[in-house]
Amino acid sequence: MGLLRVFRAVIMGPPGSGKGTVSNRITDSFGLKHLSSGDILRANIKAKTELGLLMKSCIDQGQLVPDDVISRLILSNLRNMDHSSWLLDGFPRTVAQAESLDSMCTVDTVINLDVPFQTIKERLTSRWLHLPSGRVYNTDFNPPKIPGLDDVTGEPLIQREDDTPETVTRRLKAYEFQTQPVLEYYRSKGVLETFSGTETNKIWPHVHTFLTRKIPHVQQICGQA
Ligand code: G5P
Ligand code: MG
């Protein structure tokens, strides 16, 4: 089949649009490695690292953490995955972050989940999370088999401190003013693919079809190079 190049994708969308849920399905179906900036930050908070302690109040208040801190953290993680295909979730979230990612590598595709804000507000207050793996549940949409426990490990689930209604509103504002310009940035580079809807189960088949076409295509082009 010739040489296979790695495939690099970013998944974007407002808080609660389903980035984590769709990422889990993409990694299951296509074997990309999943790197979530929010999961990494929460792991640092849980482990009480210096970085985690510094960032906790920002995150709890629904504000973005500083660009230089998060860019350094994510880029150093990506350097360790140099030879793997990956899916980046939650980064970049500002144009400055997108530029720092560009200075290291070219992104093949940006999947943009376009979900109305009202739908999001309803979802986030019923979210439960398995912190070590990043698996997400929802008491209405995909409840765990046993309430409060992770399906795979049986370990306890937690609720995020930034999922209160006031903080969700602040996170949506940060998205509107700081992250939406990143969509323009990628649109102008011709790599943005938008999927609109109010239900992940309806959005997912379109993402799956798109990636099925896209991933072999990248590999084919490089096989010929
Ligand atoms: P995060 O962790 O990146 P957000 O705010 O971008 O957080 P979040 O909340 O993790 O995004 P998501 O991943 O888009 O949302 O969505 P999800 O978890 O899959 O789904 C949300 C809920 O809805 C779940 O309970 C799920 O089961 C349910 N659900 C999914 N689909 C459906 C459906 O069809 N129907 C229903 N009813 N339910 C559904 O970032 C957190 C913080 O970290 C900092 C910031 O402070 C940020 O606020 N941070 C950064 N700061 C600066 N720069 C960066 N790059 C940063 N990255 C993180
Ligand atoms: Mg998430």
Side-chain angles (χ1 to χ4, degrees):
M1 198 200 233
L3 277 176
L4 297 185
R5 179 161 79 78
V6 293
F7 183 70
R8 297 178 176 125
V10 166
I11 186 161
M12 292 187 62
S17 56
K19 298 184 294 295
T21 307
V22 172
S23 293
N24 290 346
R25 294 184 189 186
I26 292 175
T27 51
D28 284 352
S29 301
F30 297 98
L32 309 182
K33 290 198 171 149
H34 177 216
L35 195 68
S36 154
S37 53
D39 287 352
I40 294 174
L41 289 169
R42 282 184 290 278
N44 272 276
I45 292 175
K46 179 142 193 277
K48 297 197 162 55
T49 66
E50 198 181 337
L51 179 107
L53 293 171
L54 278 170
M55 298 303 127
K56 185 175 183 333
S57 66
C58 256
I59 294 170
D60 285 351
Q61 288 167 31
Q63 291 164 349
L64 296 187
V65 308
D67 283 335
D68 56 334
V69 175
I70 193 76
S71 294
R72 226 178 303 127
L73 187 66
I74 297 298
L75 264 50
S76 78
N77 272 276
L78 288 180
R79 274 187 207 104
N80 296 330
M81 309 192 336
D82 221 12
H83 302 294
S84 319
S85 294
W86 45 249
L87 173 68
L88 203 46
D89 161 4
F91 182 95
R93 249 181 163 88
T94 63
V95 172
Q97 291 177 19
E99 285 167 350
S100 71
L101 180 60
D102 257 354
S103 70
M104 189 184 125
C105 62
T106 308
V107 170
D108 294 302
T109 273
V110 177
I111 293 165
N112 173 33
L113 304 180
D114 172 30
V115 177
F117 283 11
Q118 192 48 44
T119 308
I120 285 169
K121 286 185 181 167
E122 289 158 15
R123 276 182 193 178
L124 287 183
T125 39
S126 46
R127 168 163 63 183
W128 289 82
L129 189 70
H130 180 241
L131 206 51
S133 70
R135 271 185 290 278
V136 277
Y137 300 89
N138 185 287
T139 43
D140 308 314
F141 171 66
N142 60 333
K145 291 191 186 107
I146 303 168
L149 299 181
D150 177 48
D151 286 352
V152 177
T153 63
E155 288 166 352
L157 302 175
I158 58 136
Q159 282 204 287
R160 279 171 45 172
E161 294 189 21
D162 58 350
D163 276 349
T164 62
E166 305 76 46
T167 313
V168 168
T169 302
R170 240 179 275 141
R171 285 160 62 198
L172 288 170
K173 279 263 174 294
Y175 172 79
E176 205 176 339
F177 293 109
Q178 291 168 278
T179 308
Q180 267 178 346
V182 182
L183 297 179
E184 268 322 304
Y185 179 89
Y186 284 126
R187 187 173 291 126
S188 72
K189 289 184 183 288
V191 292
L192 188 74
E193 197 67 24
T194 295
F195 299 87
S196 303
T198 56
E199 290 171 53
T200 298
N201 287 346
K202 290 198 177 145
I203 291 178
W204 166 242
H206 298 283
V207 175
H208 186 272
T209 305
F210 170 72
L211 286 178
T212 305
R213 257 191 253 122
K214 187 86 188 170
I215 293 180
H217 182 63
V218 168
Q219 293 175 341
Q220 230 174 7
I221 291 169
C222 296
Q224 289 162 1

